[in-house]
mmCIF file of all heavy atoms in Angstrom:
data_model
loop_
_atom_site.group_PDB
_atom_site.id
_atom_site.type_symbol
_atom_site.label_atom_id
_atom_site.label_comp_id
_atom_site.label_asym_id
_atom_site.label_seq_id
_atom_site.Cartn_x
_atom_site.Cartn_y
_atom_site.Cartn_z
ATOM 1 N N ALA A 1 18.520 -57.951 -68.071
ATOM 2 C CA ALA A 1 18.901 -56.561 -67.820
ATOM 3 C C ALA A 1 20.317 -56.282 -68.285
ATOM 4 O O ALA A 1 20.627 -55.197 -68.768
ATOM 5 C CB ALA A 1 18.757 -56.255 -66.334
ATOM 6 N N LEU A 2 21.198 -57.274 -68.129
ATOM 7 C CA LEU A 2 22.613 -57.081 -68.433
ATOM 8 C C LEU A 2 22.892 -57.019 -69.922
ATOM 9 O O LEU A 2 23.752 -56.263 -70.378
ATOM 10 C CB LEU A 2 23.424 -58.206 -67.781
ATOM 11 C CG LEU A 2 24.945 -58.098 -67.837
ATOM 12 C CD1 LEU A 2 25.426 -56.852 -67.096
ATOM 13 C CD2 LEU A 2 25.588 -59.348 -67.215
ATOM 14 N N TYR A 3 22.128 -57.814 -70.709
ATOM 15 C CA TYR A 3 22.487 -57.984 -72.116
ATOM 16 C C TYR A 3 21.515 -57.339 -73.116
ATOM 17 O O TYR A 3 21.892 -57.170 -74.273
ATOM 18 C CB TYR A 3 22.593 -59.461 -72.440
ATOM 19 C CG TYR A 3 23.893 -60.084 -71.987
ATOM 20 C CD1 TYR A 3 23.990 -60.776 -70.786
ATOM 21 C CD2 TYR A 3 25.062 -59.930 -72.754
ATOM 22 C CE1 TYR A 3 25.194 -61.317 -70.368
ATOM 23 C CE2 TYR A 3 26.258 -60.474 -72.337
ATOM 24 C CZ TYR A 3 26.332 -61.171 -71.154
ATOM 25 O OH TYR A 3 27.523 -61.695 -70.735
ATOM 26 N N PHE A 4 20.311 -56.988 -72.695
ATOM 27 C CA PHE A 4 19.330 -56.571 -73.685
ATOM 28 C C PHE A 4 18.895 -55.138 -73.437
ATOM 29 O O PHE A 4 18.485 -54.784 -72.330
ATOM 30 C CB PHE A 4 18.124 -57.493 -73.692
ATOM 31 C CG PHE A 4 18.470 -58.879 -74.171
ATOM 32 C CD1 PHE A 4 18.851 -59.874 -73.292
ATOM 33 C CD2 PHE A 4 18.459 -59.172 -75.531
ATOM 34 C CE1 PHE A 4 19.210 -61.130 -73.731
ATOM 35 C CE2 PHE A 4 18.820 -60.418 -75.985
ATOM 36 C CZ PHE A 4 19.196 -61.402 -75.094
ATOM 37 N N PRO A 5 18.936 -54.285 -74.469
ATOM 38 C CA PRO A 5 18.537 -52.889 -74.305
ATOM 39 C C PRO A 5 17.024 -52.702 -74.199
ATOM 40 O O PRO A 5 16.553 -51.674 -73.766
ATOM 41 C CB PRO A 5 19.073 -52.205 -75.572
ATOM 42 C CG PRO A 5 19.108 -53.300 -76.597
ATOM 43 C CD PRO A 5 19.454 -54.549 -75.829
ATOM 44 N N ARG A 6 16.289 -53.730 -74.621
ATOM 45 C CA ARG A 6 14.828 -53.652 -74.576
ATOM 46 C C ARG A 6 14.271 -54.901 -73.910
ATOM 47 O O ARG A 6 14.628 -56.015 -74.278
ATOM 48 C CB ARG A 6 14.234 -53.510 -75.983
ATOM 49 C CG ARG A 6 12.712 -53.476 -76.013
ATOM 50 C CD ARG A 6 12.202 -53.397 -77.445
ATOM 51 N NE ARG A 6 10.748 -53.420 -77.498
ATOM 52 C CZ ARG A 6 10.046 -53.474 -78.628
ATOM 53 N NH1 ARG A 6 10.686 -53.459 -79.799
ATOM 54 N NH2 ARG A 6 8.732 -53.510 -78.598
ATOM 55 N N VAL A 7 13.417 -54.736 -72.917
ATOM 56 C CA VAL A 7 12.802 -55.824 -72.195
ATOM 57 C C VAL A 7 11.296 -55.686 -72.271
ATOM 58 O O VAL A 7 10.735 -54.601 -72.054
ATOM 59 C CB VAL A 7 13.231 -55.816 -70.710
ATOM 60 C CG1 VAL A 7 12.454 -56.868 -69.904
ATOM 61 C CG2 VAL A 7 14.733 -56.074 -70.578
ATOM 62 N N VAL A 8 10.620 -56.784 -72.633
ATOM 63 C CA VAL A 8 9.158 -56.814 -72.647
ATOM 64 C C VAL A 8 8.726 -57.769 -71.527
ATOM 65 O O VAL A 8 9.030 -58.974 -71.562
ATOM 66 C CB VAL A 8 8.613 -57.316 -73.986
ATOM 67 C CG1 VAL A 8 7.086 -57.359 -73.954
ATOM 68 C CG2 VAL A 8 9.103 -56.433 -75.133
ATOM 69 N N MET A 9 8.057 -57.250 -70.504
ATOM 70 C CA MET A 9 7.618 -58.065 -69.383
ATOM 71 C C MET A 9 6.189 -58.525 -69.602
ATOM 72 O O MET A 9 5.308 -57.731 -69.896
ATOM 73 C CB MET A 9 7.702 -57.265 -68.063
ATOM 74 C CG MET A 9 7.223 -58.034 -66.853
ATOM 75 S SD MET A 9 7.387 -57.110 -65.298
ATOM 76 C CE MET A 9 9.135 -57.269 -65.020
ATOM 77 N N LEU A 10 5.997 -59.854 -69.475
ATOM 78 C CA LEU A 10 4.686 -60.447 -69.660
ATOM 79 C C LEU A 10 4.167 -61.009 -68.344
ATOM 80 O O LEU A 10 4.935 -61.511 -67.519
ATOM 81 C CB LEU A 10 4.733 -61.569 -70.710
ATOM 82 C CG LEU A 10 5.230 -61.206 -72.109
ATOM 83 C CD1 LEU A 10 5.286 -62.473 -72.977
ATOM 84 C CD2 LEU A 10 4.326 -60.182 -72.750
ATOM 85 N N ASP A 11 2.876 -61.003 -68.177
ATOM 86 C CA ASP A 11 2.231 -61.636 -67.053
ATOM 87 C C ASP A 11 0.929 -62.275 -67.539
ATOM 88 O O ASP A 11 0.017 -61.561 -67.979
ATOM 89 C CB ASP A 11 1.930 -60.610 -65.952
ATOM 90 C CG ASP A 11 1.344 -61.281 -64.699
ATOM 91 O OD1 ASP A 11 1.516 -62.516 -64.529
ATOM 92 O OD2 ASP A 11 0.704 -60.571 -63.895
ATOM 93 N N ARG A 12 0.897 -63.620 -67.552
ATOM 94 C CA ARG A 12 -0.267 -64.368 -68.044
ATOM 95 C C ARG A 12 -0.630 -63.959 -69.471
ATOM 96 O O ARG A 12 -1.801 -63.785 -69.830
ATOM 97 C CB ARG A 12 -1.466 -64.168 -67.115
ATOM 98 C CG ARG A 12 -1.219 -64.689 -65.688
ATOM 99 C CD ARG A 12 -2.451 -64.432 -64.812
ATOM 100 N NE ARG A 12 -2.253 -64.932 -63.461
ATOM 101 C CZ ARG A 12 -1.665 -64.243 -62.486
ATOM 102 N NH1 ARG A 12 -1.218 -63.020 -62.737
ATOM 103 N NH2 ARG A 12 -1.527 -64.774 -61.282
ATOM 104 N N GLY A 13 0.392 -63.765 -70.300
ATOM 105 C CA GLY A 13 0.154 -63.451 -71.688
ATOM 106 C C GLY A 13 -0.087 -61.986 -71.979
ATOM 107 O O GLY A 13 -0.203 -61.596 -73.146
ATOM 108 N N ARG A 14 -0.138 -61.166 -70.968
ATOM 109 C CA ARG A 14 -0.362 -59.722 -71.159
ATOM 110 C C ARG A 14 0.974 -58.982 -71.081
ATOM 111 O O ARG A 14 1.812 -59.289 -70.249
ATOM 112 C CB ARG A 14 -1.302 -59.161 -70.117
ATOM 113 C CG ARG A 14 -2.714 -59.731 -70.165
ATOM 114 C CD ARG A 14 -3.605 -59.068 -69.126
ATOM 115 N NE ARG A 14 -3.107 -59.303 -67.763
ATOM 116 C CZ ARG A 14 -2.625 -58.356 -66.969
ATOM 117 N NH1 ARG A 14 -2.564 -57.097 -67.378
ATOM 118 N NH2 ARG A 14 -2.210 -58.654 -65.755
ATOM 119 N N ILE A 15 1.136 -57.964 -71.894
ATOM 120 C CA ILE A 15 2.335 -57.114 -71.831
ATOM 121 C C ILE A 15 2.142 -56.133 -70.686
ATOM 122 O O ILE A 15 1.216 -55.319 -70.670
ATOM 123 C CB ILE A 15 2.562 -56.358 -73.132
ATOM 124 C CG1 ILE A 15 2.893 -57.337 -74.274
ATOM 125 C CG2 ILE A 15 3.716 -55.359 -72.974
ATOM 126 C CD1 ILE A 15 3.082 -56.679 -75.619
ATOM 127 N N ILE A 16 3.019 -56.232 -69.677
ATOM 128 C CA ILE A 16 2.951 -55.353 -68.517
ATOM 129 C C ILE A 16 3.791 -54.111 -68.732
ATOM 130 O O ILE A 16 3.408 -52.996 -68.329
ATOM 131 C CB ILE A 16 3.439 -56.092 -67.252
ATOM 132 C CG1 ILE A 16 2.581 -57.343 -67.024
ATOM 133 C CG2 ILE A 16 3.415 -55.191 -66.035
ATOM 134 C CD1 ILE A 16 1.112 -57.032 -66.813
ATOM 135 N N ALA A 17 4.942 -54.281 -69.360
ATOM 136 C CA ALA A 17 5.814 -53.138 -69.596
ATOM 137 C C ALA A 17 6.743 -53.445 -70.761
ATOM 138 O O ALA A 17 7.044 -54.618 -71.023
ATOM 139 C CB ALA A 17 6.626 -52.797 -68.343
ATOM 140 N N ASP A 18 7.214 -52.419 -71.432
ATOM 141 C CA ASP A 18 8.074 -52.582 -72.590
ATOM 142 C C ASP A 18 9.010 -51.388 -72.657
ATOM 143 O O ASP A 18 8.552 -50.234 -72.746
ATOM 144 C CB ASP A 18 7.209 -52.650 -73.864
ATOM 145 C CG ASP A 18 8.023 -52.785 -75.137
ATOM 146 O OD1 ASP A 18 9.268 -52.764 -75.084
ATOM 147 O OD2 ASP A 18 7.414 -52.910 -76.220
ATOM 148 N N GLY A 19 10.319 -51.630 -72.553
ATOM 149 C CA GLY A 19 11.260 -50.526 -72.617
ATOM 150 C C GLY A 19 12.618 -50.917 -72.122
ATOM 151 O O GLY A 19 12.944 -52.120 -71.967
ATOM 152 N N PRO A 20 13.471 -49.968 -71.797
ATOM 153 C CA PRO A 20 14.799 -50.250 -71.260
ATOM 154 C C PRO A 20 14.701 -50.965 -69.913
ATOM 155 O O PRO A 20 13.737 -50.762 -69.165
ATOM 156 C CB PRO A 20 15.409 -48.863 -71.077
ATOM 157 C CG PRO A 20 14.641 -47.972 -72.003
ATOM 158 C CD PRO A 20 13.244 -48.528 -72.008
ATOM 159 N N PRO A 21 15.669 -51.828 -69.567
ATOM 160 C CA PRO A 21 15.586 -52.611 -68.327
ATOM 161 C C PRO A 21 15.368 -51.756 -67.078
ATOM 162 O O PRO A 21 14.564 -52.114 -66.210
ATOM 163 C CB PRO A 21 16.956 -53.315 -68.269
ATOM 164 C CG PRO A 21 17.379 -53.423 -69.682
ATOM 165 C CD PRO A 21 16.860 -52.181 -70.366
ATOM 166 N N ALA A 22 16.036 -50.630 -66.977
ATOM 167 C CA ALA A 22 15.923 -49.800 -65.775
ATOM 168 C C ALA A 22 14.514 -49.269 -65.594
ATOM 169 O O ALA A 22 14.076 -49.006 -64.458
ATOM 170 C CB ALA A 22 16.923 -48.660 -65.826
ATOM 171 N N GLU A 23 13.783 -49.084 -66.702
ATOM 172 C CA GLU A 23 12.420 -48.564 -66.616
ATOM 173 C C GLU A 23 11.395 -49.667 -66.439
ATOM 174 O O GLU A 23 10.342 -49.452 -65.833
ATOM 175 C CB GLU A 23 12.092 -47.784 -67.887
ATOM 176 C CG GLU A 23 12.949 -46.544 -68.086
ATOM 177 C CD GLU A 23 12.610 -45.798 -69.383
ATOM 178 O OE1 GLU A 23 11.602 -46.179 -70.021
ATOM 179 O OE2 GLU A 23 13.349 -44.894 -69.742
ATOM 180 N N VAL A 24 11.685 -50.866 -66.930
ATOM 181 C CA VAL A 24 10.741 -51.987 -66.836
ATOM 182 C C VAL A 24 10.860 -52.711 -65.515
ATOM 183 O O VAL A 24 9.871 -53.043 -64.870
ATOM 184 C CB VAL A 24 10.959 -52.969 -68.009
ATOM 185 C CG1 VAL A 24 10.135 -54.244 -67.826
ATOM 186 C CG2 VAL A 24 10.597 -52.298 -69.337
ATOM 187 N N LEU A 25 12.091 -52.971 -65.061
ATOM 188 C CA LEU A 25 12.317 -53.820 -63.894
ATOM 189 C C LEU A 25 12.375 -52.981 -62.609
ATOM 190 O O LEU A 25 13.391 -52.944 -61.911
ATOM 191 C CB LEU A 25 13.623 -54.612 -64.094
ATOM 192 C CG LEU A 25 13.655 -55.492 -65.371
ATOM 193 C CD1 LEU A 25 15.007 -56.145 -65.525
ATOM 194 C CD2 LEU A 25 12.546 -56.555 -65.319
ATOM 195 N N THR A 26 11.295 -52.321 -62.310
ATOM 196 C CA THR A 26 11.208 -51.542 -61.085
ATOM 197 C C THR A 26 10.781 -52.414 -59.917
ATOM 198 O O THR A 26 10.182 -53.475 -60.106
ATOM 199 C CB THR A 26 10.229 -50.377 -61.233
ATOM 200 O OG1 THR A 26 8.907 -50.947 -61.437
ATOM 201 C CG2 THR A 26 10.578 -49.520 -62.439
ATOM 202 N N ASP A 27 11.067 -51.978 -58.681
ATOM 203 C CA ASP A 27 10.695 -52.743 -57.496
ATOM 204 C C ASP A 27 9.181 -52.978 -57.473
ATOM 205 O O ASP A 27 8.708 -54.077 -57.202
ATOM 206 C CB ASP A 27 11.102 -52.011 -56.212
ATOM 207 C CG ASP A 27 12.611 -51.903 -56.065
ATOM 208 O OD1 ASP A 27 13.327 -52.502 -56.916
ATOM 209 O OD2 ASP A 27 13.074 -51.238 -55.120
ATOM 210 N N GLU A 28 8.421 -51.920 -57.755
ATOM 211 C CA GLU A 28 6.975 -52.026 -57.670
ATOM 212 C C GLU A 28 6.410 -53.001 -58.698
ATOM 213 O O GLU A 28 5.537 -53.820 -58.404
ATOM 214 C CB GLU A 28 6.339 -50.644 -57.848
ATOM 215 C CG GLU A 28 6.691 -49.626 -56.772
ATOM 216 C CD GLU A 28 8.100 -49.042 -56.936
ATOM 217 O OE1 GLU A 28 8.734 -49.311 -57.976
ATOM 218 O OE2 GLU A 28 8.543 -48.359 -56.009
ATOM 219 N N ARG A 29 6.916 -52.920 -59.925
ATOM 220 C CA ARG A 29 6.416 -53.795 -60.977
ATOM 221 C C ARG A 29 6.806 -55.252 -60.736
ATOM 222 O O ARG A 29 5.994 -56.164 -60.965
ATOM 223 C CB ARG A 29 6.936 -53.315 -62.342
ATOM 224 C CG ARG A 29 6.256 -54.028 -63.503
ATOM 225 C CD ARG A 29 6.601 -53.360 -64.813
ATOM 226 N NE ARG A 29 5.942 -52.069 -64.967
ATOM 227 C CZ ARG A 29 6.587 -50.910 -65.171
ATOM 228 N NH1 ARG A 29 7.889 -50.881 -65.217
ATOM 229 N NH2 ARG A 29 5.897 -49.803 -65.299
ATOM 230 N N LEU A 30 8.008 -55.491 -60.282
ATOM 231 C CA LEU A 30 8.430 -56.846 -59.971
ATOM 232 C C LEU A 30 7.595 -57.445 -58.838
ATOM 233 O O LEU A 30 7.212 -58.616 -58.868
ATOM 234 C CB LEU A 30 9.914 -56.875 -59.604
ATOM 235 C CG LEU A 30 10.874 -56.565 -60.769
ATOM 236 C CD1 LEU A 30 12.290 -56.318 -60.233
ATOM 237 C CD2 LEU A 30 10.885 -57.673 -61.780
ATOM 238 N N ALA A 31 7.315 -56.639 -57.839
ATOM 239 C CA ALA A 31 6.472 -57.126 -56.748
ATOM 240 C C ALA A 31 5.072 -57.438 -57.236
ATOM 241 O O ALA A 31 4.461 -58.417 -56.819
ATOM 242 C CB ALA A 31 6.430 -56.081 -55.629
ATOM 243 N N GLU A 32 4.561 -56.604 -58.149
ATOM 244 C CA GLU A 32 3.217 -56.822 -58.688
ATOM 245 C C GLU A 32 3.146 -58.119 -59.507
ATOM 246 O O GLU A 32 2.187 -58.901 -59.372
ATOM 247 C CB GLU A 32 2.833 -55.650 -59.578
ATOM 248 C CG GLU A 32 1.523 -55.825 -60.338
ATOM 249 C CD GLU A 32 1.309 -54.756 -61.381
ATOM 250 O OE1 GLU A 32 2.086 -53.784 -61.435
ATOM 251 O OE2 GLU A 32 0.364 -54.894 -62.184
ATOM 252 N N VAL A 33 4.135 -58.364 -60.356
ATOM 253 C CA VAL A 33 4.106 -59.509 -61.253
ATOM 254 C C VAL A 33 4.456 -60.812 -60.530
ATOM 255 O O VAL A 33 3.789 -61.834 -60.737
ATOM 256 C CB VAL A 33 5.086 -59.290 -62.435
ATOM 257 C CG1 VAL A 33 5.221 -60.560 -63.269
ATOM 258 C CG2 VAL A 33 4.600 -58.127 -63.303
ATOM 259 N N TYR A 34 5.460 -60.775 -59.667
ATOM 260 C CA TYR A 34 5.935 -61.994 -59.040
ATOM 261 C C TYR A 34 5.349 -62.240 -57.654
ATOM 262 O O TYR A 34 5.470 -63.347 -57.124
ATOM 263 C CB TYR A 34 7.466 -62.012 -58.964
ATOM 264 C CG TYR A 34 8.115 -62.121 -60.325
ATOM 265 C CD1 TYR A 34 8.538 -60.973 -60.997
ATOM 266 C CD2 TYR A 34 8.246 -63.336 -60.958
ATOM 267 C CE1 TYR A 34 9.109 -61.060 -62.252
ATOM 268 C CE2 TYR A 34 8.818 -63.439 -62.209
ATOM 269 C CZ TYR A 34 9.264 -62.300 -62.851
ATOM 270 O OH TYR A 34 9.813 -62.390 -64.108
ATOM 271 N N GLY A 35 4.743 -61.226 -57.079
ATOM 272 C CA GLY A 35 4.112 -61.404 -55.774
ATOM 273 C C GLY A 35 5.089 -61.588 -54.634
ATOM 274 O O GLY A 35 4.738 -62.185 -53.608
ATOM 275 N N ILE A 36 6.324 -61.104 -54.777
ATOM 276 C CA ILE A 36 7.307 -61.202 -53.701
ATOM 277 C C ILE A 36 7.999 -59.875 -53.554
ATOM 278 O O ILE A 36 8.004 -59.031 -54.463
ATOM 279 C CB ILE A 36 8.359 -62.295 -53.976
ATOM 280 C CG1 ILE A 36 9.071 -62.026 -55.317
ATOM 281 C CG2 ILE A 36 7.716 -63.679 -53.993
ATOM 282 C CD1 ILE A 36 10.210 -62.967 -55.613
ATOM 283 N N ALA A 37 8.593 -59.669 -52.391
ATOM 284 C CA ALA A 37 9.382 -58.463 -52.180
ATOM 285 C C ALA A 37 10.749 -58.625 -52.833
ATOM 286 O O ALA A 37 11.363 -59.681 -52.742
ATOM 287 C CB ALA A 37 9.539 -58.197 -50.686
ATOM 288 N N VAL A 38 11.183 -57.614 -53.537
ATOM 289 C CA VAL A 38 12.476 -57.646 -54.215
ATOM 290 C C VAL A 38 13.254 -56.410 -53.854
ATOM 291 O O VAL A 38 12.720 -55.415 -53.361
ATOM 292 C CB VAL A 38 12.314 -57.734 -55.749
ATOM 293 C CG1 VAL A 38 11.591 -59.012 -56.145
ATOM 294 C CG2 VAL A 38 11.584 -56.506 -56.270
ATOM 295 N N THR A 39 14.550 -56.492 -54.081
ATOM 296 C CA THR A 39 15.394 -55.313 -53.914
ATOM 297 C C THR A 39 16.317 -55.220 -55.101
ATOM 298 O O THR A 39 16.626 -56.228 -55.746
ATOM 299 C CB THR A 39 16.215 -55.388 -52.621
ATOM 300 O OG1 THR A 39 16.934 -54.163 -52.426
ATOM 301 C CG2 THR A 39 17.208 -56.553 -52.671
ATOM 302 N N ARG A 40 16.698 -54.010 -55.450
ATOM 303 C CA ARG A 40 17.548 -53.815 -56.611
ATOM 304 C C ARG A 40 18.827 -53.109 -56.216
ATOM 305 O O ARG A 40 18.845 -52.215 -55.356
ATOM 306 C CB ARG A 40 16.848 -52.968 -57.683
ATOM 307 C CG ARG A 40 15.713 -53.647 -58.390
ATOM 308 C CD ARG A 40 15.261 -52.824 -59.588
ATOM 309 N NE ARG A 40 15.060 -51.405 -59.234
ATOM 310 C CZ ARG A 40 14.980 -50.408 -60.107
ATOM 311 N NH1 ARG A 40 15.112 -50.650 -61.392
ATOM 312 N NH2 ARG A 40 14.766 -49.170 -59.712
ATOM 313 N N ALA A 41 19.926 -53.542 -56.832
ATOM 314 C CA ALA A 41 21.182 -52.818 -56.766
ATOM 315 C C ALA A 41 21.516 -52.398 -58.192
ATOM 316 O O ALA A 41 20.723 -52.644 -59.113
ATOM 317 C CB ALA A 41 22.285 -53.699 -56.170
ATOM 318 N N ARG A 42 22.659 -51.804 -58.382
ATOM 319 C CA ARG A 42 23.048 -51.389 -59.737
ATOM 320 C C ARG A 42 24.498 -51.758 -60.021
ATOM 321 O O ARG A 42 25.349 -51.631 -59.147
ATOM 322 C CB ARG A 42 22.856 -49.881 -59.928
ATOM 323 C CG ARG A 42 21.381 -49.460 -59.986
ATOM 324 C CD ARG A 42 21.247 -48.019 -60.413
ATOM 325 N NE ARG A 42 19.838 -47.631 -60.479
ATOM 326 C CZ ARG A 42 19.075 -47.820 -61.547
ATOM 327 N NH1 ARG A 42 19.593 -48.374 -62.631
ATOM 328 N NH2 ARG A 42 17.812 -47.443 -61.526
ATOM 329 N N HIS A 43 24.730 -52.257 -61.244
ATOM 330 C CA HIS A 43 26.086 -52.453 -61.704
ATOM 331 C C HIS A 43 26.716 -51.069 -61.915
ATOM 332 O O HIS A 43 26.025 -50.059 -61.958
ATOM 333 C CB HIS A 43 26.087 -53.252 -63.025
ATOM 334 C CG HIS A 43 25.634 -54.659 -62.871
ATOM 335 N ND1 HIS A 43 26.448 -55.658 -62.382
ATOM 336 C CD2 HIS A 43 24.441 -55.259 -63.150
ATOM 337 C CE1 HIS A 43 25.799 -56.805 -62.357
ATOM 338 N NE2 HIS A 43 24.577 -56.580 -62.829
#
């Protein structure tokens, strides 16, 4: 998120999301992919 303007999130070889970090790394999507509760702050 800190260094790359574009992030492609994969889960078991499938593309889950593709775009800017703030749009890809959402709480809901991270919980779906990793199966854990997460929280986000912002720089």
Side-chain angles (χ1 to χ4, degrees):
L2 188 61
Y3 281 98
F4 293 92
R6 178 182 177 185
V7 174
V8 180
M9 178 178 284
L10 301 177
D11 184 20
R12 298 178 179 86
R14 296 182 299 113
I15 295 178
I16 301 300
D18 179 356
E23 296 179 9
V24 171
L25 303 175
T26 64
D27 293 356
E28 296 77 9
R29 189 170 288 122
L30 291 168
E32 173 190 352
V33 172
Y34 291 97
I36 58 174
V38 297
T39 186
R40 289 191 311 163
R42 289 190 180 274
H43 292 281

